[in-house]
Amino acid sequence: MLLVGGAIYLLFRPQTLLMFHIADNLGFTSAINAARTLTDYCHPPHLLTDSVPGGLWSAAYVLLIDSLLKRQTIKQKIIAASIIPLVGAASEVLQLWGVLPGTFDSFDLLCYLLPILIYIAIQLRKRQKT
């Protein structure tokens, strides 16, 4: 999920974003430009290029926390797994209120929150079965 989200970001997002500066410092600019040339004919929808990567990164974090906290209680896992999705959601709300730079996008908000909401539903379902 991290790689797919990163690939979508690097292939289709504007090169003025921070991730591109990091890639440039790591010496990946020519490889990224070559890959972007191969996708010049693709014009994926806004939802895929702008919102889905954040959702994939959020989901990857939730799964990582679940894997790392196997022996913890459901409550502890949910609290820990909620951190990144809630930070992402908060950043969107703060953009809406003009506190953070950027443009509020309800799809971004949904993509950040959906992985943790699904995770909570699964964990609560597991608790009911035991």
Side-chain angles (χ1 to χ4, degrees), residues 34-35 47 58 67 101 103 114 117:
L47 177 65
S58 178
S67 177
T103 304
L114 196 56
L117 294 174

Side-chain angles (χ1 to χ4, degrees), residues 1-27:
M1 285 186 241
L2 286 174
L3 293 176
V4 171
I8 292 169
Y9 211 82
L10 291 172
L11 292 173
F12 300 108
R13 295 295 306 269
Q15 289 182 301
T16 56
L17 300 172
L18 176 63
M19 188 177 225
F20 291 95
H21 297 291
I22 294 168
D24 187 42
N25 289 334
L26 295 172

